[in-house]
Structure formats: C-alpha cells, structure tokens
Amino acid sequence: YFVCGPPGSGKTFLSTAIAHRVWLEGGKAEVYLFSKLMELILDRTPDQERAVLNHLARLDCLVIDDLGMGTATETKFEFLQEILTARYNAYKNGLVITSNLPLGGDEKSGVFGIAEKYGDKIGDRIYELCDYVEIDPQTPSARGLKKQERKKA
C-alpha cells in the first residue's frame, strides 16, 4: 500500500498495524522511518549495503514511514530505487509506504508529489508495487479528536 494523507491522520498507525498482523501470522515484518532507513544503508561498504538490501527484499512486510520528508538527494534516490527494485524482483508485495505527499502531483494546483520529488522511475515502481490509499484530509484525526476533548473539559 501507498498511504498518503495529512499529518496526524493515522498513516503510521495503520501501517504498523499491518506489519504487526503479518508478524502475528508468523511473517517477518519491519517498520522504518524513511530517514532512519537511509541511515541504515549510508556509509556502509558495498558488501554491507548488499546484505541490507537483500534482507529488506526478503521481508514479508516492509513499512517505509514518512517517505518524502527531508531533502531528496541523489544517494537517497539510488537507495530507494534499489530497495523497490529488489522487492519487485523478489516478487514481494508486502510493501507499505506512508507519506504526507501524494504519489503524483498536480501542476495546476502546485501540489508536488513523490514522483516529482524522486522522479518518475520511483513513482512508477511504487505504482506497480502498491495499492493507493489516500486518507481524506477532512477525516478527523485521533490527534485532532484529543485536542477537541481537552477543550471541552
């Protein structure tokens, strides 16, 4: 799944619940904040990089949380492409990606998405691997509901 929506809309909760379900059923699932995933791979020897990529490709469920946050660098682009391609080639469909950005942007409205930030190659690969889920910005978030409850008290 590619889950996009505004901050506080439950994207991370939903994605970790999916990973937890896979784990409960005996599968291997891991959840990574995108920035931490990049730290895991950066500054490694080529053999270490390959070992990490192979590990990520074999997981039954890989969650990449908050894709699109931070600066898009060429190195991050390359590693993200390698992760997506490794899972694609291993026929692993258990991929969940969350983002505040939509997959594709809209030039008329000035909204930029993942494809614009990381390129069409990344956008196309995510499109091939993931079902698209957009959380309606009008849906009250758990965070927003808690704020409302506090105001009433």
Side-chain angles (χ1 to χ4, degrees):
Y1 296 98
F2 179 83
V3 184
C4 74
S9 59
K11 300 178 301 291
T12 299
F13 178 82
L14 175 63
S15 64
T16 55
I18 292 169
H20 185 74
R21 179 63 184 228
V22 169
W23 177 77
L24 286 174
E25 293 177 357
K28 294 178 184 176
E30 294 181 10
V31 179
Y32 292 95
L33 191 61
F34 178 65
S35 60
K36 297 297 180 190
L37 182 59
M38 290 300 105
E39 287 176 17
L40 181 69
I41 298 172
L42 293 171
D43 300 325
R44 303 253 179 189
T45 66
D47 288 342
Q48 291 170 328
E49 283 177 17
R50 182 65 33 217
V52 170
L53 290 169
N54 286 338
H55 171 75
L56 296 172
R58 288 191 305 268
L59 293 171
D60 297 305
C61 179
L62 171 62
V63 175
I64 301 174
D65 192 29
D66 269 342
L67 178 62
M69 296 299 289
T71 306
T73 64
E74 187 65 29
T75 303
K76 288 179 183 178
F77 168 81
E78 289 172 8
F79 283 131
L80 180 58
Q81 182 66 36
E82 285 189 51
I83 292 166
L84 296 174
T85 299
R87 290 194 64 81
Y88 181 83
N89 290 338
Y91 303 105
K92 289 292 185 179
N93 293 330
L95 178 64
V96 182
I97 299 172
T98 71
S99 181
N100 294 337
L101 303 174
L103 190 52
D106 179 15
E107 288 182 34
K108 291 180 184 175
S109 67
V111 174
F112 295 98
I114 295 297
E116 288 78 20
K117 186 163 186 169
Y118 292 99
D120 288 336
K121 198 171 185 180
I122 294 285
D124 289 346
R125 187 61 62 164
I126 292 171
Y127 181 79
E128 292 170 341
L129 288 167
C130 300
D131 290 329
Y132 190 80
V133 177
E134 185 171 0
I135 298 176
D136 185 347
Q138 302 305 315
T139 302
S141 69
R143 199 175 294 155
L145 290 174
K146 287 178 186 172
K147 286 179 187 174
Q148 288 175 357
E149 288 174 9
R150 279 189 226 133
K151 286 181 183 178
K152 290 179 185 177

